[in-house]
Amino acid sequence: MNSRNIVLIGFMGCGKSTVGQKLASALSYDFLDTDAIIEATYGKTIARMFEEDGEAFFRDAETEVLRKLEKEADGVVLATGGGMPMREENVALLKKIGTVVFLSTEIETILMRLQKDTGRPLADGEDREKKLRPLYEKRLPIYRNAADLCLHTEGKSFSEMIEEIETFMKNRE
Ligand code: S3P
């Protein structure tokens, strides 16, 4: 396991990218995002990939990115797509890449944040709550299980969250 890297997991809209970028800059680490890597590799958005190639293709691309990062990533904060820990193989890879931090956010907050979102195929459709709530319930125990640190984000400022992660990392050394 790489002792420096930090991997952020959690549901869509929990703040992985924003927290990840701020954390990376606080630590002077590089910030990487598996969705962004996949989009750059295939030259299309995730939404288009779901449409043209199907979800299974995207899920394979996610595993492929982790296999590569497991060999290369050092001094990195990695944000991952919300579905990443759903594959057992991915969880094992995430744990090899670094310390896994679950950003835990209430579904109500997530629904509010994703209200007008258009880039997430799994949140698409008429009744978002009907789609997202069961997915959230199903995933919650998987995120918790995969995580080294479960960080509750509700009511916390970014600097509080970053401090909590930094303290956890120091105590792990
Ligand atoms: C997904 C989450 C998205 C993206 C894709 C699938 C999911 O990432 O990977 O749309 O299965 O929850 P974010 O968690 O960054 O929104």
Side-chain angles (χ1 to χ4, degrees), residues 15-147:
K16 290 164 290 186
S17 299
T18 316
V19 173
Q21 279 170 27
K22 289 181 191 292
L23 180 62
S25 108
L27 294 167
S28 300
Y29 282 9
D30 290 327
F31 173 72
L32 295 175
D33 182 321
T34 57
D35 283 347
I37 294 172
I38 292 169
E39 291 190 334
T41 305
Y42 292 90
K44 55 173 94 173
T45 62
I46 305 292
R48 223 179 100 205
M49 187 176 272
F50 265 66
E51 221 177 278
E52 293 179 2
D53 312 299
E55 182 173 347
F57 184 89
F58 170 72
R59 297 300 173 196
D60 288 342
E62 284 192 309
T63 304
E64 216 34 66
V65 170
L66 294 189
R67 286 193 190 125
K68 199 155 176 270
L69 289 175
E70 194 236 316
K71 293 190 200 103
E72 295 170 1
D74 186 33
V76 156
V77 176
L78 177 69
T80 59
M84 189 66 96
M86 300 310 119
R87 265 193 195 177
E88 262 178 55
E89 180 187 359
N90 291 356
V91 173
L93 286 164
L94 293 171
K95 283 179 175 294
K96 281 188 192 156
I97 291 169
T99 299
V100 179
V101 178
F102 166 39
L103 299 187
S104 172
T105 305
E106 299 298 327
I107 183 67
E108 281 72 24
T109 307
I110 285 167
L111 288 170
M112 240 161 52
R113 286 189 191 152
L114 297 184
Q115 240 169 20
K116 294 200 174 81
D117 187 85
T118 51
R120 292 176 170 97
L122 295 183
D124 241 18
E126 296 279 289
D127 193 343
R128 289 192 174 195
E129 179 165 2
K130 211 168 153 192
K131 266 180 113 173
L132 291 180
R133 203 179 273 276
L135 191 63
Y136 178 90
E137 300 293 340
K138 188 179 136 200
R139 287 179 172 184
L140 208 52
I142 300 169
Y143 293 134
R144 286 199 184 117
N145 252 319

